[in-house]
Amino acid sequence: MLGLKLETDPRWVNIVEKNIEEILTDHAYCEQKAATNAITILIGFPYHTDLVDEMLKLSKEELTHFEMVHQKIKDRGLKLGFERKDEYVGELYKFMRKGHKQEIVLIDRLLFAAMIEARSCERFKLLSEQINDADLKEFYRELMISEAGHYTTFIGFARKYGSHVEDVDARWQQWLDFEANLIKNYGNTHTVHG
């Protein structure tokens, strides 16, 4: 379904398990950034009412996820910590087209979001299957399902609002190719995308 061209090495879970506080803190901020991205989309493209409605809903859900991750942190007697730079997302951001017609910018903003959701979904699936912590195994299974839904939402809107401008599926393949090359450099730290 996701179409990712390179899977995460399962040994990434071993890295994560060595520092649960780091992965949870990083994950919390990923949720906050996802909420911010949804708000950015609705502010930038307010004339698409259905998109605005969906981004409002999605941003609330992402903040709820932030709250859920923060609760997991507190339940374990840990602290949230400071935000970490997400170099993977930064590299994806550079690939996004900017300074073009609004329709092109919208397509790429939506595909950018879809890519992040797809990789997060893939990583959460891996955690739900392989992490030794039963509580986190179930937690990440639930979030994996949510991320898959977000991925579908972003891809759907890109196709809806971009199909008259360009071949959105062809552009998505470009994103998949770029991400496959990029992700080769990641998967060796205890962060969601690291």
Side-chain angles (χ1 to χ4, degrees), residues 82-188:
F82 292 100
E83 179 182 1
R84 278 80 168 151
K85 181 177 180 180
D86 192 328
E87 293 179 11
Y88 165 84
V89 171
E91 292 296 322
L92 289 178
Y93 184 83
K94 291 176 189 174
F95 186 69
M96 189 170 40
R97 294 173 295 182
K98 303 161 205 74
H100 292 268
K101 297 190 311 186
Q102 279 289 93
E103 294 90 351
I104 296 291
V105 173
L106 175 58
I107 292 166
D108 260 26
R109 175 59 82 162
L110 293 167
L111 295 180
F112 164 77
M115 182 57 69
I116 295 167
E117 297 288 350
R119 182 55 68 185
S120 297
C121 180
E122 187 258 355
R123 292 275 171 104
F124 291 172
K125 181 178 186 293
L126 193 57
L127 288 172
S128 75
E129 294 170 347
Q130 298 198 14
I131 199 165
N132 289 315
D133 185 306
D135 177 54
L136 290 180
K137 187 178 287 254
E138 179 60 26
F139 182 61
Y140 281 109
R141 190 188 74 72
E142 291 174 20
L143 289 177
M144 171 197 69
I145 294 166
S146 179
E147 300 295 290
H150 296 167
Y151 157 80
T152 302
T153 295
F154 286 118
I155 287 283
F157 277 115
R159 288 178 177 140
K160 178 177 182 176
Y161 289 116
S163 61
H164 69 286
V165 177
E166 70 176 332
D167 183 342
V168 173
D169 290 328
R171 179 60 180 159
W172 178 239
Q173 286 304 311
Q174 292 172 0
W175 273 95
L176 289 169
D177 291 341
F178 178 80
E179 198 270 352
N181 190 54
L182 176 65
I183 201 67
K184 291 175 187 175
N185 302 317
Y186 295 92
N188 54 12

Side-chain angles (χ1 to χ4, degrees), residues 12-23:
W12 171 75
V13 176
N14 300 331
I15 296 167
V16 166
E17 286 183 310
K18 291 177 182 168
N19 200 335
I20 297 296
E21 185 171 11
E22 283 294 318
I23 187 71

Side-chain angles (χ1 to χ4, degrees), residues 38 49-59 61 153 157:
T49 303
D50 58 343
L51 180 63
V52 170
D53 288 343
E54 193 60 35
M55 291 302 103
L56 279 169
K57 179 180 160 190
L58 196 141
S59 65
E61 184 178 339
T153 295
F157 277 115

